[in-house]
Amino acid sequence: MSHKTIEIGWKAPANIALIKYWGKREEQLPENGSLSITLDRSVTTTRISFREKINETDELSLEYYFHGQRHPAFEGKILKLLHRLKLEMPFISYYQMVITSENNFPHSAGIASSASSMAALALCLTSMEEQVSGSKMSKDDFYRRASGIARLGSGSASRSVYGGVVTWGEIPFMANSSDYFATPYPLKKQSRLHQIRDIILVVSTTEKPIPSSTGHAMMVDHPYREGRRVQAKSNLAKMTTAIEADNFRLIAEIAENEALSLHALLMTSLPAGLLLQPNTLGILAEIKLFRESTGMDLFFTIDAGPNVHLIYYEEQREQVVPFVQERLLPYCENGLWIDDKIGTGPLLITPEIVH
Ligand code: DP6
């Protein structure tokens, strides 16, 4: 038996949903289909090093470091996922594992760090599976498996294993779509969405008072649950039509409707969740004014927090950046913003045999 230590590393990006996943059932299955754009620069880098255990216990053996420090809260989250995975990936019980992880964007900056971190971890575990079993999966099977595992860690993470535009959830008119894993959206070569950029306006870096998991749970008895399902379905169908037609105005209208609906659902939950802040609304009003006065193609979206994503085309960057600097940064915490764009997806750093 060999007891060498092998290290595998993956970089996985965050994503921003234009059609929001909100509400789930059973084992992390979504109540509705969602669609997101994978980001480029906001990434988590995760490395897993593993070595066969000397004594044969099937207790999980994990040390977890976040930015070089042990992090009991995150370690607990990962252990929970690994316990869930014991049936599907029995090999994890037979290895000592050390996982290190780093985000290159501020924690709680309004970018779902659980999406990039769970996607990076799932990719590491899937690569580890290939290494220990000695058999390589096809590319499609590999990413699909990683997406399903990422989903168990965090729903939105299922989408972060792919670049470009990605959907998750069974969608009647989309081949290969599933509630169990995400699917890359076949964006046309000439689609203008390849040029899309995202400026993240950080209104607050304070930890959000309502974790997404609590928000999803509030949908179970929500008075508008059925209405939300109907709305999401219709918005997703309209969104794909708009994407096919490169109709930015329609994409903008639906994405903004999704963002505001998400917050309306939060506000009408019991107990109510109010995550928008005065500065969030200030930014939305400025974006609307700017759009009306310039006629430019740009829109906002917001996740379950106060921070705003401003989505626009690369070709408008020269006008948009000065607008952001002059009009929007005063609403941001310490003027913090993140300059990102659509990205090509995760990257394998490299598997290494350490010793
Ligand atoms: C508002 O994926 O963070 O960002 O599955 O409980 O980890 P869990 O939730 P999470 O929810 C994300 C919700 C959202 C919308 C979206 O990304 O689709």
Side-chain angles (χ1 to χ4, degrees):
M1 192 185 289
S2 120
H3 287 288
K4 35 182 208 231
T5 299
I6 298 181
E7 186 181 280
I8 290 168
W10 277 91
K11 258 185 211 291
N15 69 76
I16 177 67
L18 301 187
I19 302 292
K20 310 289 182 185
Y21 143 56
W22 202 239
K24 57 178 154 182
R25 60 192 162 83
E26 298 159 41
E27 270 241 303
Q28 290 277 106
L29 301 175
E31 283 286 6
N32 63 269
S34 56
L35 178 143
S36 60
I37 292 171
T38 298
L39 298 181
D40 182 51
R41 299 188 180 156
S42 307
V43 296
T44 299
T45 304
T46 297
R47 290 184 170 83
I48 182 165
S49 54
F50 54 94
R51 186 186 180 87
E52 239 174 303
K53 283 180 184 168
I54 300 185
N55 51 345
E56 295 213 350
T57 78
D58 65 356
E59 270 302 295
L60 289 172
S61 161
L62 171 71
E63 273 175 46
Y64 175 79
Y65 296 85
F66 184 63
H67 287 265
Q69 306 276 328
R70 283 301 277 271
H71 197 302
F74 289 173
E75 186 166 309
K77 237 183 144 178
I78 289 169
L79 271 172
K80 207 170 131 199
L81 171 67
L82 294 178
H83 274 289
R84 261 181 167 174
L85 286 174
K86 266 176 144 186
L87 266 183
E88 209 169 318
M89 294 184 138
F91 65 87
I92 54 177
S93 300
Y94 302 105
Y95 286 83
Q96 285 173 279
M97 294 179 280
V98 178
I99 296 176
T100 63
S101 202
E102 279 160 29
N103 291 346
N104 73 344
F105 52 90
H107 183 53
S108 298
I111 308 180
S113 60
S114 65
S116 52
S117 58
M118 287 299 172
L121 176 64
L123 288 157
C124 285
L125 290 170
T126 313
S127 288
M128 177 177 170
E129 181 170 40
E130 280 192 333
Q131 282 275 338
V132 303
S133 69
S135 72
K136 250 186 128 36
M137 298 174 217
S138 72
K139 197 172 164 214
D140 284 357
D141 286 349
F142 178 89
Y143 284 99
R144 201 166 282 172
R145 178 143 178 86
S147 176
I149 288 161
R151 183 198 98 237
L152 293 174
S154 179
S156 53
S158 64
R159 301 184 307 241
S160 267
V161 308
Y162 297 109
V165 176
V166 185
T167 65
W168 169 43
E170 202 178 316
I171 304 160
F173 54 89
M174 261 173 95
N176 300 325
S177 62
S178 165
D179 284 349
Y180 291 85
F181 48 81
T183 311
Y185 184 88
L187 211 53
K188 285 192 206 127
K189 234 191 163 124
Q190 68 275 21
S191 168
R192 288 180 78 208
L193 281 193
H194 292 294
Q195 309 301 325
I196 214 121
R197 296 196 67 105
D198 178 9
I199 288 179
I200 305 157
L201 300 148
V202 184
V203 168
S204 168
T205 54
T206 311
E207 192 85 45
K208 53 186 180 183
I210 307 164
S212 297
S213 50
T214 311
H216 291 294
M218 293 194 305
M219 284 309 289
V220 174
D221 299 318
H222 200 289
Y224 304 144
R225 180 183 176 184
E226 200 39 48
R228 169 58 191 158
R229 274 224 291 257
V230 173
Q231 179 199 37
K233 204 171 161 193
S234 144
N235 274 350
L236 188 51
K238 282 193 226 154
M239 180 61 90
T240 54
T241 310
I243 290 174
E244 287 311 301
D246 247 334
N247 182 342
F248 199 82
R249 294 282 151 92
L250 190 54
I251 295 173
E253 193 178 289
I254 303 161
E256 292 188 352
N257 176 256
E258 278 289 304
L260 296 177
S261 298
L262 167 70
H263 284 270
L265 289 165
L266 266 158
M267 284 187 240
T268 46
S269 291
L270 268 179
L274 183 55
L275 296 178
L276 300 177
Q277 292 186 8
N279 282 354
T280 314
L281 301 181
I283 290 176
L284 302 196
E286 292 280 356
I287 292 175
K288 192 163 179 277
L289 260 179
F290 183 69
R291 182 167 57 204
E292 279 166 8
S293 62
T294 61
M296 263 191 215
D297 284 338
L298 76 179
F299 66 88
F300 67 81
T301 184
I302 319 171
D303 269 346
N307 304 320
V308 181
H309 292 246
L310 174 62
I311 314 284
Y312 66 102
Y313 285 133
E314 172 82 47
E315 69 202 37
Q316 295 170 335
R317 191 167 166 76
E318 269 179 36
Q319 291 97 303
V320 171
V321 172
F323 157 67
V324 166
Q325 284 167 333
E326 278 157 37
R327 307 295 310 180
L328 304 186
L329 295 196
Y331 295 97
C332 297
E333 188 179 294
N334 301 319
L336 183 60
W337 63 296
I338 296 167
D339 191 14
D340 215 328
K341 61 177 182 174
I342 190 166
T344 51
L347 207 69
L348 174 67
I349 300 168
T350 188
E352 276 171 30
I353 296 176
V354 183
H355 55 81

